[in-house]
Amino acid sequence: LIGSPNSYNWRGPGEATIIGMAHSSWQLRNKLFYWEDDTRTSVMALFDQVGSCKTIAESNEVLKRNFGYNLAKGYMYWLPGHYFGYAACDDPDIMTMLGKCREIGMQALKFERKSNADVALVINDKSIYYYGLQPQMYGPLTELHKVLSMSGVDYDVILQADLANPKLKNYKLYVMLDSLYFTPERKKEIQKK
């Protein structure tokens, strides 16, 4: 079981939805991936936080966007009811909308929800040891991920190590996001793929 919230930088109304985890690699390993949707709703009154919603309508639209993204990707979805001392969804309009999302989610359980992505965003869990969280590298990498998320192109996020996994499907395009470190064996795996 692996869980992660979406990026704190682009989570508000009208922004991209980005998860920095290699969620498609977890699926290769038969792991459940939970998206923790800790949206700062208007009920929470945390307007100074990045991505905070100002109104109930904004809160509903962001929560629907997040639910739809998870539904399309086939992830598990978790919406914490209380955190930071706030009941994030303590509003009748939000609860009604979430009830409709739940109905849709229950109906979707009948359908196969495998990825149809033709693009793989390849990340390397070792590269961060070489570039660290320096803004000179980390900023451009997250911007590239944001642009891909906003492009309308469906993509899976995989670990570079999984390029040699025989269960990994073939993609038409592999985008190497942060592949700064390669072992000779890994280079051969990439060339073969």
Side-chain angles (χ1 to χ4, degrees):
L1 170 67
I2 299 165
S4 174
N6 58 325
S7 170
Y8 287 100
N9 293 332
W10 301 289
R11 61 171 35 205
E15 295 179 321
T17 299
I18 299 173
I19 298 176
M21 301 284 287
H23 37 78
S24 302
S25 282
W26 312 148
Q27 290 172 339
L28 280 175
R29 292 168 176 80
N30 295 318
K31 301 294 182 194
L32 288 177
F33 177 75
Y34 271 88
W35 183 7
E36 176 187 324
D37 187 352
D38 59 349
T39 295
R40 274 54 168 173
T41 66
S42 60
V43 179
M44 295 175 68
L46 293 175
F47 298 146
D48 59 334
Q49 299 251 339
V50 173
S52 293
C53 299
K54 307 283 189 278
T55 65
I56 297 297
E58 276 187 0
S59 301
N60 277 343
E61 292 307 312
V62 167
L63 291 169
K64 284 192 288 188
R65 175 200 63 202
N66 295 349
F67 172 79
Y69 182 87
N70 280 268
L71 186 67
K73 289 289 190 182
Y75 307 149
M76 304 296 287
Y77 181 69
W78 174 47
L79 180 65
H82 291 80
Y83 45 95
F84 304 120
Y86 293 95
C89 300
D90 192 15
D91 178 87
D93 289 340
I94 292 176
M95 293 305 293
T96 298
M97 183 276 303
L98 290 174
K100 291 176 184 174
C101 288
R102 183 183 182 283
E103 289 175 26
I104 293 167
M106 295 304 289
Q107 291 173 12
L109 291 174
K110 302 173 195 168
F111 304 110
E112 186 175 330
R113 296 187 343 214
K114 278 196 224 173
S115 170
N116 290 322
D118 289 327
V119 176
L121 180 65
V122 182
I123 61 175
N124 184 355
D125 59 333
K126 305 290 188 258
S127 289
I128 196 165
Y129 297 113
Y130 293 89
Y131 66 75
L133 290 176
Q134 302 300 320
Q136 301 89 329
M137 283 301 298
Y138 188 71
L141 292 173
T142 54
E143 279 293 325
L144 178 61
H145 196 167
K146 174 188 170 191
V147 168
L148 187 57
S149 293
M150 295 173 63
S151 70
V153 173
D154 190 16
Y155 65 95
D156 292 336
V157 181
I158 62 171
L159 288 172
Q160 188 187 86
D162 285 330
L163 290 173
N165 188 326
K167 292 195 284 184
L168 181 68
K169 72 181 212 172
N170 289 318
Y171 294 91
K172 293 179 181 176
L173 177 66
Y174 297 84
V175 178
M176 304 295 203
L177 181 67
D178 61 349
S179 297
L180 304 174
Y181 171 77
F182 294 97
T183 62
E185 297 82 21
R186 186 63 42 80
K187 287 180 185 178
K188 288 177 187 171
E189 292 167 1
I190 291 170
Q191 288 170 345
K192 183 177 178 183
K193 192 69 170 175

